[in-house]
Amino acid sequence: MENIKGMKRTRYCGEFRPEHIGENATVFGWVQRMRNLGGLIFVDLRDRSGVVQCTFDEAINKELFDKAFTVRSEFVLAISGTVRSRGEGAINDKLPTGGVEILADEIRILSKANTTPFEIVEDSDVNDVLRLKYRYLDLRRPDMQRTIALRHRIAKIARDYYDENGFYEIETPILTKSTPEGARDYLVPSRVHPGKFYALPQSPQQYKQLLMLAGFDRYIQITRCFRDEDLRADRQPEFTQIDLEMSFVDVDDVIAVNEGFIARLFRDIHGIELERPFMRMPYAEAMDRFGSDKPDLRFGYELKNISDIVANTEFKVFSGAIEAGGSVRLINVNGGGATFKRKEIDALGEFVKTYRAKGLAWMKFTDGEMTSSFAKFLSDAEIAAIKDRAQAGDNDLILVVADAKDDVVFASLGALRCECAKRMNVIDKNDYKILWVTDFPLFEYDEEEERYVAKHHPFTSPRDEDIDLLDTHPEKVCAKAYDIVINGSEAGGGSIRIHDSALQAKMFKALGFTEEKANEQFGHLIEAFSYGAPPHGGLAFGLDRLVMLISGRESIRDVIAFPKVQNASELMMASPDVVDEKQLKELHIALDLPEKE
Amino acid sequence: MENIKGMKRTRYCGEFRPEHIGENATVFGWVQRMRNLGGLIFVDLRDRSGVVQCTFDEAINKELFDKAFTVRSEFVLAISGTVRSRGEGAINDKLPTGGVEILADEIRILSKANTTPFEIVEDSDVNDVLRLKYRYLDLRRPDMQRTIALRHRIAKIARDYYDENGFYEIETPILTKSTPEGARDYLVPSRVHPGKFYALPQSPQQYKQLLMLAGFDRYIQITRCFRDEDLRADRQPEFTQIDLEMSFVDVDDVIAVNEGFIARLFRDIHGIELERPFMRMPYAEAMDRFGSDKPDLRFGYELKNISDIVANTEFKVFSGAIEAGGSVRLINVNGGGATFKRKEIDALGEFVKTYRAKGLAWMKFTDGEMTSSFAKFLSDAEIAAIKDRAQAGDNDLILVVADAKDDVVFASLGALRCECAKRMNVIDKNDYKILWVTDFPLFEYDEEEERYVAKHHPFTSPRDEDIDLLDTHPEKVCAKAYDIVINGSEAGGGSIRIHDSALQAKMFKALGFTEEKANEQFGHLIEAFSYGAPPHGGLAFGLDRLVMLISGRESIRDVIAFPKVQNASELMMASPDVVDEKQLKELHIALDLPEKE
């Protein structure tokens, strides 16, 4: 193979423009394609910035022409020459470099290439397994190049912004300790301490609070976190958080700083000036209006409670749900009357069943006529009241869920409104609706454990005005917790922490911890707080999620260079894998395999 | 406890200066100390920036004074007041804020504090175990605060610099695959794939090369690496690398970019303009002149080979070593004649034995007289020749090592010259001597395996001019490898990689790999290289080491927020720790403990 000795890149391939005509150019890259037009060879050379056409003219240099004729797709080349105009008819408007070409006077073949298992082009429909096995080829595709470059840019803006605002990036350990509550830990056997294990962190939560106790005042870290859970489509066993914590703050301070970051991102990347302050919505309102704690505000279809209207109806599906302590709520899919045929409405009925709803009632107004699955059971007055509550007019579709559990009504209608919006195609992809959801409940009742558990974690502070309710009505206590929601996705969340030992003790008591159990599990933290603790709070953004939201990518795998698949394996390196018996011996562990595996 | 409602910090404590006199001030922080001078109470309040004196005057506000009287060291306070001059006699020149104080008109106690196990002051001589168990208190000490802040600054400069130079930060997996060669891996059992394991990366070497194959052109990542080795004083099981890789480059390109980074660091942090280009020294010369591949150039004491002079002497310690294929070399410790008494020279003799030298011969010139441990065995002409070669004059001390193995001579004299420099106190701590050591041998002979092994890794490229030697004289082949050495410490190192399949095959052959074995171990990489590979190379800096060099800290534990101790445990969290039987069961492993443990 030849080498690049004496050659220096003058520009990346994608940067050539008409103003560079006449320049001497040297480019390095991969052959996108080679075309021989008889006497003229065109080599499209690609690097991370784009593609430039390099031209070899047989009449000018036969030897060079012949050499160019030997190249194939994905060969790696160094080409020198002169930038010239493509001339009238040859201009390619679709290509940023389409007005010019490089008339080559040198070509070096730096590496040959076998035929790749798939073509390196934008948006190819190659299957995922092949893409991930040959990830280094998949990443050559322009859309993947752009996404990974954007991810770098987002992380860089985060670091710049928080640095400018006085945050120190401080690294916390990856080899740390298994935590008793929360998701399943990845464990790492210790060779030096037989029978003991490190755990990979689910988040640096405890460390960042200790950094506040240590007086660092403002901490940030873009860091890997680990959860050994059964993967959903949008989860990875290792994922990246923009994790931060601040001292001497309350809710408004944390929100203000982080709002600034999101505004900066949208300004720098999309050129969008977001209106500030962002909207804030209490959790209770978000559930009531949108059936979700991460409402997508780019469209309407808000939930309406019609329990008062149908509480005494003879239709038992409705009145029974209310009697059992639940509710009856609807959404009005404006304009959905024509779009959704009977069959599609039946499909929506199946859809809500995945959220444990027992069924979907509907009412539709088309061409002045009303059809409905349930109207026949209701009085005219009840129907009129429902139509009025839904503000339904001609061509609208009302969808109703009734259940003895509010949770089920919210979850199913919350998901349904998003699903309908998608099918109605009412979502503007270039619109960004951002809000803070605040005042989450501090506790949720764990039916299995028959006690209240912390909705976030046991160090989350209650609202000042709710502290007295801790002993008497824990279910009514709201937390100083906040999530930032972008277009219906949770981009980040956090809380103010408890820094007062007396309040922390009250909290443990509400969670049903004895003093002994609290000390056993959190003794080192409780002790740490006894040496002078500042008020503090923080937040973590999911970087993968942020990149998805900003790039418009729909799969988390597309925003991570080397992602894992649903069964937590990585296809390119083929990890995890078996290891030597000797390695296990050194770690004082043995395999304990399920039978017949 | 009280809260900060309605209060906003106006400045950090350490920022107050005479130009702020008259300002309304609000500060948050920890009580460094409280002094009651009868009618006046002084509270020194500390945050990450420093300390400011807050004054409470009984005559002005008795209630406030009484409240201030209740505070103790490490209480967390919020104080408001007015900045005023301290007045003539009270000015403290040692404190940056020593010209002013805040006359308090409000104090809130945000958190009380128990008596800390050690005092929070600079350079306290608390033992390491206590410091690490209460790391959150140790980190409150001003020197630790400065060091962690400096670490943040260094990482930020790195990210800025490489971003400006077109590098993308791209994250590579932490859960990856065990590599057959190299140090011991940390393993992570897979729950989903019984009997299989992830490994934590020793470095992202393979991934970063694959990123070059993927066309990203310039990659950087500040990332955690893991090695399960028995720790030396300056090693940690997890450590941080500034890891980078570039495409379409040769040695000079990689060196130029990274030299720019080091120059930027010294400019931004120390205000030092380093002379560029940095010195380069081939490995062979570094060994010959300094007995080390990481020479400290802040002092002389260079090695001189006197084998030619003593080859035929009757003194068998010298001539025998040469006959056996070794050498006799010396250093001249200028001015050491008076400093080193017999007893101390004997101690140096013990010192070199730790480097496997059999002993230390010496010759000393004081007050016109020569004394020596070996001169009596040599002729006058030989002595004169040695004195001349050493350029020794009055008050000098010549130290000689003879051994049948050059390695031993180099290692012992290389270490000895540093030890002597320390004892002679000739090292200027504010001097920085930086060089590139280049042209490392590509192979080293592994006596155990009876074959050549790669000195760096099997993808390191030989020098172009040495390729033909691969088959015939592998021991003579130099690598395109380079280390950057600062004041005798290796701050980073890297190489140009092989990108040509034919050359890689030659390399595997020289390493004694059959084609089958090469494919088994590196098949996925070999295949990757077959689809078009750019010339590429890179480098990794040890971030921990860089922070040590720039901060002047002597222990790696002082530059890491939460370090591990020699036995790889972390004392604050007490990790590693035992885990539940249930967790192991889920991971398909069982303990296999050594007996009697």
Side-chain angles (χ1 to χ4, degrees):
Chain A
M1 288 301 100
E2 296 174 285
N3 63 42
I4 55 166
K5 203 161 282 179
M7 296 180 97
K8 218 155 188 82
R9 170 160 49 202
T10 58
R11 296 181 189 283
Y12 281 106
C13 296
E15 294 174 355
F16 289 92
R17 295 290 181 277
E19 63 257 37
H20 305 130
I21 288 170
E23 268 188 19
N24 290 323
T26 297
V27 286
F28 301 136
W30 284 257
V31 174
Q32 183 66 46
R33 59 174 183 162
M34 189 274 279
R35 286 166 298 155
N36 180 358
L37 269 65
L40 277 182
I41 284 173
F42 298 111
V43 171
D44 288 345
L45 202 69
R46 184 194 71 235
D47 62 22
R48 74 183 195 188
S49 70
V51 160
V52 68
Q53 176 172 297
C54 302
T55 306
F56 299 81
D57 188 336
E58 190 171 16
I60 297 177
N61 188 332
K62 171 87 167 76
E63 199 180 335
L64 198 70
F65 179 90
D66 289 343
K67 189 169 175 188
F69 186 63
T70 68
V71 310
R72 297 286 170 269
S73 287
E74 300 307 314
F75 273 33
V76 181
L77 306 181
I79 294 175
S80 287
T82 311
V83 184
R84 69 175 189 185
S85 172
R86 284 208 193 180
E88 282 296 304
I91 287 173
N92 180 349
D93 287 333
K94 284 182 207 146
L95 213 59
T97 63
V100 297
E101 63 182 2
I102 296 173
L103 179 65
D105 55 35
E106 183 169 7
I107 179 171
R108 296 192 202 168
I109 297 174
L110 306 179
S111 171
K112 295 186 177 180
N114 291 336
T115 303
T116 52
F118 50 85
E119 217 188 335
I120 312 300
V121 291
E122 181 125 14
D123 301 321
S124 74
D125 59 349
V126 183
N127 79 62
D128 268 11
V129 171
L130 209 58
R131 283 182 59 192
L132 290 169
K133 180 164 180 339
Y134 296 97
R135 186 60 160 181
Y136 48 89
L137 298 178
D138 187 44
L139 288 170
R140 284 185 192 169
R141 301 191 304 136
D143 48 334
M144 291 305 295
Q145 292 270 322
R146 280 197 306 273
T147 306
I148 299 298
L150 176 69
R151 185 185 176 105
H152 159 67
R153 185 58 41 217
I154 290 173
K156 185 64 174 54
I157 291 170
R159 290 192 160 102
D160 290 345
Y161 175 83
Y162 288 103
D163 176 62
E164 288 160 23
N165 283 279
F167 288 76
Y168 295 162
E169 180 150 8
I170 302 178
E171 295 173 75
T172 55
I174 297 290
L175 291 171
T176 177
K177 188 168 155 169
S178 190
T179 46
E181 304 227 318
R184 202 184 285 109
D185 286 321
Y186 279 105
L187 297 183
V188 182
S190 163
R191 177 179 56 86
V192 185
H193 304 273
K196 294 191 173 179
F197 293 79
Y198 302 96
L200 305 184
Q202 296 183 26
S203 92
Q205 183 64 33
Q206 293 194 13
Y207 284 105
K208 71 176 176 175
Q209 292 195 240
L210 288 164
L211 286 171
M212 295 304 100
L213 300 192
F216 283 108
D217 204 72
R218 295 186 160 202
Y219 144 92
I220 186 205
Q221 190 183 194
I222 301 189
T223 188
R224 215 68 59 81
C225 302
F226 304 85
R227 276 178 212 171
D228 185 10
E229 291 177 301
D230 294 309
L231 299 186
R232 298 202 309 256
D234 63 343
R235 287 282 172 92
Q236 288 279 317
E238 53 179 309
F239 56 97
T240 303
Q241 267 184 206
I242 304 176
D243 189 52
L244 56 98
E245 195 80 5
M246 308 165 70
S247 289
F248 304 106
V249 293
D250 208 333
V251 175
D252 288 352
D253 306 290
V254 179
I255 282 186
V257 163
N258 290 296
E259 202 162 290
F261 165 58
I262 294 294
R264 167 85 152 262
L265 267 189
F266 277 84
R267 184 185 315 130
D268 287 2
I269 289 173
H270 285 315
I272 295 174
E273 209 55 60
L274 295 174
E275 205 178 310
R276 291 175 62 187
F278 298 166
M279 181 193 294
R280 291 197 205 176
M281 189 182 289
Y283 171 87
E285 181 185 341
M287 294 307 289
D288 195 57
R289 289 177 55 194
F290 302 97
S292 168
D293 58 1
K294 31 182 193 281
D296 190 334
L297 303 187
R298 289 175 298 176
F299 54 92
Y301 308 166
E302 291 192 22
L303 276 65
K304 307 281 176 188
N305 193 341
I306 54 167
S307 301
D308 56 326
I309 300 172
V310 297
N312 300 311
T313 181
E314 285 175 28
F315 186 40
K316 287 297 161 208
V317 170
F318 288 178
S319 56
I322 296 161
E323 208 170 319
S327 60
V328 182
R329 293 167 203 258
L330 61 77
I331 59 172
N332 174 6
V333 184
N334 301 108
T339 311
F340 290 90
K341 309 288 173 222
R342 259 310 281 275
K343 222 168 153 181
E344 286 147 330
I345 296 176
D346 289 346
L348 294 179
E350 291 307 309
F351 176 85
V352 294
K353 281 182 187 163
T354 63
Y355 297 87
R356 295 189 294 141
K358 292 191 187 64
L360 187 66
W362 57 271
M363 184 183 276
K364 187 168 158 174
F365 304 88
T366 34
D367 305 325
E369 264 186 52
M370 187 266 281
T371 48
S372 170
S373 67
F374 64 91
K376 56 178 177 268
F377 305 113
L378 266 55
S379 71
D380 286 352
E382 286 164 343
I383 292 170
I386 290 172
K387 189 177 175 192
D388 183 56
R389 178 74 49 86
Q391 296 183 277
D394 202 37
N395 215 16
D396 281 356
L397 170 68
I398 291 175
L399 300 170
V400 187
V401 171
D403 203 277
K405 288 190 172 168
D406 268 351
D407 282 1
V408 171
V409 178
F410 286 139
S412 49
L413 282 180
L416 189 64
R417 70 178 279 278
C418 296
E419 181 65 20
C420 290
K422 240 184 265 169
R423 298 199 186 190
M424 292 291 292
N425 206 15
V426 292
I427 301 175
D428 174 0
K429 295 225 166 195
N430 296 315
D431 185 20
Y432 292 95
K433 284 284 186 289
I434 304 181
L435 78 159
W436 293 97
V437 176
T438 61
D439 302 301
F440 284 82
L442 186 59
F443 301 104
E444 53 192 7
Y445 194 75
D446 186 317
E447 307 215 340
E448 212 168 295
E449 298 209 24
E450 294 186 341
R451 66 172 177 103
Y452 284 100
V453 297
K455 195 170 163 81
H456 286 84
H457 53 72
F459 305 102
T460 305
S461 176
R463 293 194 304 190
D464 302 332
E465 61 268 37
D466 295 349
I467 289 177
D468 290 338
L469 294 170
L470 270 177
D471 299 325
T472 55
H473 293 93
E475 77 284 0
K476 290 189 183 165
V477 178
C478 284
K480 289 188 177 179
Y482 32 78
D483 279 359
I484 182 159
V485 176
I486 305 180
N487 290 352
S489 271
E490 182 196 327
S495 67
I496 299 299
R497 331 298 181 182
I498 299 171
H499 75 283
D500 177 338
S501 307
L503 181 55
Q504 186 68 59
K506 236 175 146 86
M507 179 75 178
F508 280 134
K509 204 177 144 204
L511 287 167
F513 281 52
T514 60
E515 212 181 305
E516 290 70 38
K517 195 181 165 202
N519 272 317
E520 189 191 305
Q521 289 199 8
F522 301 107
H524 60 291
L525 271 183
I526 294 169
E527 185 184 9
F529 276 83
S530 76
Y531 296 117
H536 63 288
L539 180 140
F541 292 102
L543 178 59
D544 309 304
R545 185 67 58 89
L546 262 189
V547 180
M548 285 173 72
L549 284 166
I550 289 179
S551 67
R553 285 278 184 172
E554 285 183 8
S555 163
I556 194 171
R557 291 186 203 164
D558 286 341
V559 301
I560 297 175
F562 301 104
K564 295 190 171 58
V565 296
Q566 200 120 355
N567 69 8
S569 62
E570 191 216 304
L571 304 183
M572 184 185 67
M573 290 285 189
S575 77
D577 200 359
V578 294
V579 298
D580 285 351
E581 191 61 35
K582 181 172 157 256
Q583 287 176 280
L584 300 184
K585 203 85 197 157
E586 282 189 318
L587 299 175
H588 320 289
I589 58 171
L591 295 185
D592 179 19
L593 296 180
E595 286 182 36
K596 291 195 195 172
E597 271 273 338
Chain B
M1 288 300 100
E2 296 173 287
N3 63 40
I4 54 168
K5 202 161 283 178
M7 296 180 97
K8 216 152 190 86
R9 170 160 49 202
T10 58
R11 294 181 192 283
Y12 280 106
C13 295
E15 294 174 355
F16 289 91
R17 296 291 181 277
E19 65 256 37
H20 305 130
I21 288 170
E23 269 188 19
N24 290 324
T26 296
V27 286
F28 302 136
W30 284 256
V31 175
Q32 183 66 45
R33 59 174 182 162
M34 187 275 279
R35 287 166 298 155
N36 180 358
L37 268 66
L40 278 182
I41 283 174
F42 298 111
V43 171
D44 289 345
L45 201 69
R46 186 194 68 236
D47 63 22
R48 73 182 195 190
S49 70
V51 160
V52 69
Q53 177 172 295
C54 302
T55 306
F56 299 81
D57 188 335
E58 190 171 16
I60 297 176
N61 187 333
K62 172 85 168 76
E63 198 181 336
L64 199 68
F65 179 90
D66 289 343
K67 189 170 177 187
F69 185 65
T70 67
V71 311
R72 297 287 170 269
S73 287
E74 302 308 316
F75 273 33
V76 182
L77 305 181
I79 295 176
S80 287
T82 312
V83 184
R84 69 175 188 186
S85 172
R86 284 208 194 180
E88 280 296 303
I91 286 173
N92 181 350
D93 286 334
K94 285 182 207 146
L95 214 61
T97 62
V100 297
E101 62 183 4
I102 296 172
L103 178 66
D105 54 35
E106 182 169 8
I107 179 172
R108 295 192 202 168
I109 298 174
L110 307 179
S111 172
K112 293 185 177 182
N114 291 335
T115 304
T116 52
F118 50 85
E119 217 189 333
I120 312 300
V121 290
E122 182 125 13
D123 300 321
S124 74
D125 59 349
V126 182
N127 79 64
D128 268 11
V129 171
L130 210 58
R131 283 182 58 191
L132 291 170
K133 181 165 179 341
Y134 296 98
R135 186 60 160 181
Y136 49 89
L137 298 178
D138 186 44
L139 288 170
R140 285 185 191 170
R141 303 190 306 136
D143 48 334
M144 291 305 297
Q145 291 270 323
R146 280 197 306 273
T147 306
I148 298 299
L150 177 69
R151 185 185 177 106
H152 159 67
R153 184 58 41 215
I154 290 173
K156 185 64 173 54
I157 291 170
R159 290 192 159 105
D160 290 345
Y161 176 82
Y162 288 103
D163 175 63
E164 289 160 20
N165 283 278
F167 288 76
Y168 296 162
E169 182 151 8
I170 303 177
E171 295 173 74
T172 55
I174 297 289
L175 291 172
T176 175
K177 186 169 156 169
S178 192
T179 46
E181 304 227 320
R184 202 184 286 112
D185 286 321
Y186 279 105
L187 297 182
V188 181
S190 163
R191 176 178 58 86
V192 185
H193 304 272
K196 295 192 174 180
F197 293 79
Y198 302 97
L200 306 183
Q202 296 183 26
S203 92
Q205 184 63 34
Q206 294 194 11
Y207 285 105
K208 71 176 175 175
Q209 292 194 240
L210 288 165
L211 287 171
M212 294 304 101
L213 300 192
F216 284 106
D217 204 70
R218 295 186 160 203
Y219 144 92
I220 187 206
Q221 190 184 192
I222 302 188
T223 187
R224 215 68 58 81
C225 302
F226 305 85
R227 276 180 211 169
D228 185 9
E229 290 177 301
D230 294 310
L231 298 187
R232 298 201 310 255
D234 63 343
R235 287 282 173 92
Q236 287 279 318
E238 53 179 309
F239 56 98
T240 304
Q241 268 183 204
I242 304 176
D243 189 53
L244 55 98
E245 196 79 5
M246 307 164 70
S247 289
F248 303 107
V249 292
D250 208 334
V251 176
D252 288 352
D253 306 292
V254 179
I255 282 186
V257 163
N258 290 295
E259 202 162 289
F261 165 57
I262 294 294
R264 167 84 153 264
L265 267 190
F266 277 83
R267 184 187 314 130
D268 287 2
I269 289 172
H270 285 315
I272 295 174
E273 210 53 63
L274 296 175
E275 206 178 308
R276 292 175 61 186
F278 297 166
M279 181 194 294
R280 291 198 206 176
M281 188 182 289
Y283 171 86
E285 181 185 341
M287 295 307 288
D288 195 55
R289 290 175 56 194
F290 302 97
S292 168
D293 58 1
K294 32 182 191 281
D296 191 336
L297 303 187
R298 288 174 299 175
F299 53 92
Y301 308 168
E302 291 193 20
L303 277 64
K304 307 282 176 188
N305 193 342
I306 55 167
S307 300
D308 57 326
I309 300 171
V310 298
N312 300 311
T313 180
E314 285 175 27
F315 186 41
K316 288 296 163 208
V317 170
F318 287 179
S319 57
I322 296 162
E323 210 172 317
S327 61
V328 182
R329 293 167 202 256
L330 60 77
I331 59 171
N332 175 6
V333 183
N334 300 109
T339 312
F340 290 91
K341 310 289 173 221
R342 260 311 282 275
K343 222 168 149 182
E344 287 148 330
I345 296 176
D346 289 347
L348 295 180
E350 291 306 310
F351 177 85
V352 295
K353 281 182 189 163
T354 62
Y355 297 89
R356 293 188 296 141
K358 292 190 188 63
L360 187 65
W362 57 272
M363 184 183 276
K364 182 169 160 171
F365 304 88
T366 35
D367 305 325
E369 263 186 54
M370 188 266 278
T371 48
S372 171
S373 68
F374 63 92
K376 55 179 179 269
F377 306 112
L378 267 55
S379 71
D380 285 353
E382 286 166 343
I383 291 170
I386 289 171
K387 190 178 173 188
D388 184 56
R389 177 75 48 87
Q391 295 182 279
D394 202 37
N395 215 14
D396 281 358
L397 169 67
I398 291 174
L399 299 171
V400 187
V401 171
D403 202 277
K405 288 189 173 169
D406 269 352
D407 282 1
V408 171
V409 178
F410 286 137
S412 49
L413 281 179
L416 189 64
R417 69 178 281 277
C418 296
E419 181 65 19
C420 289
K422 239 184 263 169
R423 299 200 186 191
M424 292 291 293
N425 207 14
V426 293
I427 301 174
D428 175 1
K429 295 226 165 193
N430 295 315
D431 186 19
Y432 292 95
K433 284 283 187 289
I434 304 181
L435 78 160
W436 294 96
V437 176
T438 61
D439 302 301
F440 283 82
L442 186 60
F443 301 103
E444 53 192 6
Y445 194 75
D446 187 317
E447 308 213 341
E448 211 169 295
E449 298 210 23
E450 295 186 338
R451 66 171 177 104
Y452 284 99
V453 296
K455 196 173 162 79
H456 287 83
H457 54 70
F459 306 103
T460 305
S461 176
R463 293 194 303 191
D464 302 333
E465 60 269 38
D466 295 349
I467 290 176
D468 290 338
L469 294 170
L470 270 177
D471 299 325
T472 56
H473 293 93
E475 76 283 0
K476 289 190 183 165
V477 177
C478 284
K480 289 188 177 180
Y482 32 78
D483 278 359
I484 183 160
V485 176
I486 304 180
N487 290 351
S489 271
E490 182 197 326
S495 66
I496 299 299
R497 332 296 181 183
I498 299 171
H499 75 283
D500 176 338
S501 307
L503 181 55
Q504 187 67 58
K506 235 175 146 88
M507 179 74 178
F508 280 134
K509 204 178 144 203
L511 287 168
F513 281 51
T514 60
E515 211 180 305
E516 289 70 38
K517 195 180 164 202
N519 271 318
E520 189 191 305
Q521 290 200 8
F522 300 108
H524 59 293
L525 272 183
I526 294 170
E527 185 184 10
F529 276 83
S530 76
Y531 296 116
H536 63 288
L539 181 138
F541 293 102
L543 178 61
D544 309 304
R545 184 68 57 88
L546 262 189
V547 179
M548 286 173 72
L549 284 167
I550 289 179
S551 66
R553 285 279 184 171
E554 285 181 9
S555 163
I556 194 170
R557 290 184 204 165
D558 286 342
V559 301
I560 297 175
F562 302 104
K564 295 190 172 57
V565 295
Q566 200 118 358
N567 69 9
S569 62
E570 191 215 305
L571 304 183
M572 184 184 68
M573 290 285 189
S575 77
D577 201 358
V578 295
V579 298
D580 285 351
E581 190 61 35
K582 179 172 159 256
Q583 288 176 279
L584 301 185
K585 204 83 199 159
E586 281 188 320
L587 299 175
H588 320 289
I589 58 172
L591 295 185
D592 179 20
L593 296 180
E595 287 183 34
K596 292 195 193 172
E597 272 270 341

